[in-house]
Amino acid sequence: MGKIILIGISKDHGSPIANVRSVEAIKGKGLVGEKHFKENNKKRIQITLIEIENINHYNKITGTTIPSINFLRNIVTEGIQLNELVGKEFFIGAVKVKAHALCKPCKYLQESLQQKNIVKEFLLTGGLRCEILSSGKICVDDQIIS
């Protein structure tokens, strides 16, 4: 069982990511206030997660100190291996989600962090793309239960 240690949302592409203590998740739409929030949203972009352990590992091997919020995922987790959840339903606090795919890093992330190896290093550890199956509030310190 893991937990949420950070929640980040961004209103527009390229806008700074706001670090928030809680956010409303709406079934089929996404996170309120997030750039991808919309009616009949694609399942793969409603909410994204990444493990702090993978971010810390990257920072250690590269000698960087990139803040976890800068990795462009909505939820930063601790104490859970997200890759094992692909294809499964689980709970983030009281909100039910389904992990549809790994969230592979993109060239935009690599360029925004001014790193040359993000795509390679996070190919299999960049987090999850999930669908929101039930509405509710997600908060920092909520448990992740699979």
Side-chain angles (χ1 to χ4, degrees):
M1 181 168 45
K3 71 174 185 173
I4 296 173
I5 62 168
L6 185 139
I7 301 171
I9 58 171
S10 177
K11 294 181 188 211
D12 300 301
H13 288 283
S15 293
I17 300 163
N19 184 349
V20 298
R21 297 282 309 157
S22 65
V23 66
E24 284 292 324
I26 307 297
K27 178 182 177 179
K29 294 182 180 183
L31 301 176
V32 174
E34 173 62 21
K35 63 185 165 282
H36 295 294
F37 182 82
K38 66 180 179 178
E39 197 72 39
N40 300 315
N41 203 349
K42 294 177 184 177
K43 294 176 182 181
R44 294 171 39 96
I45 62 173
Q46 293 177 20
I47 186 170
T48 58
L49 295 84
I50 190 167
E51 299 167 41
I52 190 67
E53 292 87 353
N54 294 338
I55 293 169
N56 290 343
H57 175 73
Y58 179 81
N59 279 329
K60 183 178 179 182
I61 65 170
T62 59
T64 57
T65 56
I66 301 168
S68 57
I69 198 163
N70 292 358
F71 281 81
L72 307 181
R73 303 296 184 259
N74 302 120
I75 305 288
V76 179
T77 67
E78 179 179 64
I80 190 164
Q81 293 185 345
L82 296 175
N83 286 17
E84 295 175 2
L85 299 176
V86 173
K88 297 179 181 174
E89 294 179 3
F90 61 99
F91 285 89
I92 303 172
V95 176
K96 189 175 188 180
V97 300
K98 181 174 183 179
H100 285 284
L102 295 180
C103 192
K104 296 182 180 173
C106 61
K107 198 163 186 168
Y108 175 78
L109 174 64
Q110 185 164 283
E111 290 170 358
S112 72
L113 295 177
Q114 299 177 2
Q115 298 291 305
K116 295 180 181 178
N117 56 351
I118 291 283
V119 171
K120 178 185 171 195
E121 292 295 332
F122 281 92
L123 190 59
L124 298 176
T125 59
L128 293 179
R129 295 184 169 278
C130 300
E131 173 186 10
I132 299 169
L133 301 176
S134 69
S135 298
K137 188 178 232 178
I138 296 174
C139 302
V140 170
D141 292 328
D142 277 353
Q143 298 296 307
I144 300 169
I145 303 166
S146 57

